[in-house]
């Protein structure tokens, strides 16, 4: 089983709609969780951290469910510019590296 | 420049050749990471440096791969006897401190795309 697993998608989303997707992680000792965004043929960039109580950043909402070992990302009022691959990231067992999921591809269409 | 710089941006080589990929991190960042990303996959951890020492090299796939950071700044990833399966984008990232891992603030370079023919 991979340490971090994501549905690869693509999620085809009409502009203005809401989309949500999850990521599961295998190491119950993981403490830090993040979503990164990666545009086509570009480097990953931090989108947001995920806190235990859940957190929002504009149209983006992240949730953490420790009991079921998954994190989620919800995008409201999707924009064309939200089209990207969203990478779920978890700190590894050793605590010194970040382990990336395979990414979920989101395509927002007019 | 202000960001992480990687050279070369593209490298085409023949099977069996030796390759070096360079990473120049953000000035003052003590932690440096190498990841490898194949098409359609997420970045795969290779090695992490804190200062000059390799704090975690558990992701290096085999002994053909080696990385150094002799002065605690620039790092070089070295691949011997390249194989077609080594073809990927090699990403370097830096963070201000190891605690940067906990805040998720890894700053990536644009990557070096390696193609082994």
């Amino acid at each position: 089983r991979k340490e971090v697993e994501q549905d690869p998608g693509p999620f085809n989303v009409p502009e203005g709609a809401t989309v949500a997707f999850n990521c599961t992680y295998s190491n119950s000792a993981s403490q830090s969780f993040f979503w990164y965004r990666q545009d086509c043929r570009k480097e990953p960039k931090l989108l947001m951290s995920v806190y235990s109580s859940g957190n929002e950043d504009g149209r983006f909402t992240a949730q953490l469910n420790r009991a079921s070992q998954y994190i989620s990302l919800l995008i409201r009022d999707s924009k064309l510019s939200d089209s990207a691959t969203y990478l779920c990231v978890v700190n590894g067992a050793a605590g010194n590296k970040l382990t990336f999921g395979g990414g979920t591809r989101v395509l927002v269409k007019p | 420049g202000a960001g992480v710089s990687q050279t070369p941006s593209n490298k085409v080589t023949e099977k069996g050749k030796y390759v070096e990929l360079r990473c120049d991190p953000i000035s003052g960042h003590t932690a440096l990471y190498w990841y490898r990303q194949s098409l359609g996959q997420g970045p795969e951890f290779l090695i992490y440096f804190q200062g000059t020492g390799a704090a975690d090299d558990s992701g290096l796939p085999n002994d053909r791969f080696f990385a150094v950071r002799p002065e605690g700044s620039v790092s070089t990833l070295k691949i011997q006897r390249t194989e077609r399966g080594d073809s990927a984008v090699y990403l370097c990232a830096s963070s201000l401190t190891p605690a940067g891992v906990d805040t998720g603030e890894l700053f990536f370079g644009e990557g070096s795309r390696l193609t082994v023919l």
Side-chain angles (χ1 to χ4, degrees):
Chain A
R1 183 185 173 187
K2 289 184 180 179
E3 285 188 60
V4 182
E5 294 201 71
Q6 295 184 249
D7 181 339
F11 284 66
N12 293 299
V13 185
E15 192 176 10
T18 296
V19 61
F21 41 89
N22 294 338
C23 154
T24 59
Y25 60 94
S26 61
N27 184 359
S28 60
S30 297
Q31 294 295 320
S32 306
F33 309 89
F34 314 93
W35 286 103
Y36 274 66
R37 171 191 169 129
Q38 186 172 28
D39 293 309
C40 188
R41 299 179 78 88
K42 296 289 189 181
E43 72 275 20
K45 293 183 179 178
L46 178 66
L47 177 66
M48 61 194 300
S49 301
V50 185
Y51 303 124
S52 296
S53 55
N55 50 299
E56 271 189 28
D57 184 359
R59 297 180 293 105
F60 297 83
T61 301
Q63 297 280 352
L64 167 64
N65 185 316
R66 287 191 184 275
S68 300
Q69 293 183 211
Y70 73 86
I71 67 174
S72 64
L73 182 67
L74 181 146
I75 308 174
R76 285 185 302 277
D77 187 23
S78 297
K79 312 291 185 191
L80 298 177
S81 58
D82 294 335
S83 296
T85 296
Y86 291 86
L87 297 162
C88 171
V89 188
V90 178
N91 81 322
N96 288 326
K97 67 184 185 187
L98 294 181
T99 300
F100 285 73
T104 295
R105 191 169 171 216
V106 172
L107 296 174
V108 181
K109 301 189 174 180
Chain B
V4 176
S5 176
Q6 291 188 246
T7 55
S9 55
N10 278 287
K11 176 70 177 179
V12 180
T13 191
E14 293 179 344
K15 180 173 178 259
K17 298 291 188 182
Y18 169 80
V19 166
E20 286 191 355
L21 306 176
R22 174 189 166 108
C23 173
D24 198 341
I26 293 172
S27 178
H29 280 196
T30 61
L32 185 146
Y33 304 78
W34 283 99
Y35 285 82
R36 175 169 74 173
Q37 188 171 27
S38 299
L39 191 64
Q41 306 294 317
E44 172 195 13
F45 172 80
L46 295 177
I47 187 170
Y48 152 64
F49 287 91
Q50 178 52 39
T52 61
D56 185 343
D57 65 357
S58 61
L60 294 177
N62 51 59
D63 62 5
R64 296 187 297 105
F65 288 75
F66 189 70
V68 295
R69 195 186 185 197
E71 298 179 357
S73 178
V74 171
S75 176
T76 304
L77 178 66
K78 307 180 181 193
I79 311 174
Q80 298 178 319
R81 304 183 303 281
T82 52
E83 300 177 355
R84 292 193 180 87
D86 299 335
S87 297
V89 176
Y90 289 81
L91 293 165
C92 176
S94 68
S95 65
L96 188 58
T97 66
V101 174
D102 292 330
T103 65
E105 285 286 8
L106 286 189
F107 295 88
F108 282 87
E110 294 185 348
S112 292
R113 183 177 299 276
L114 175 66
T115 303
V116 182
L117 301 177

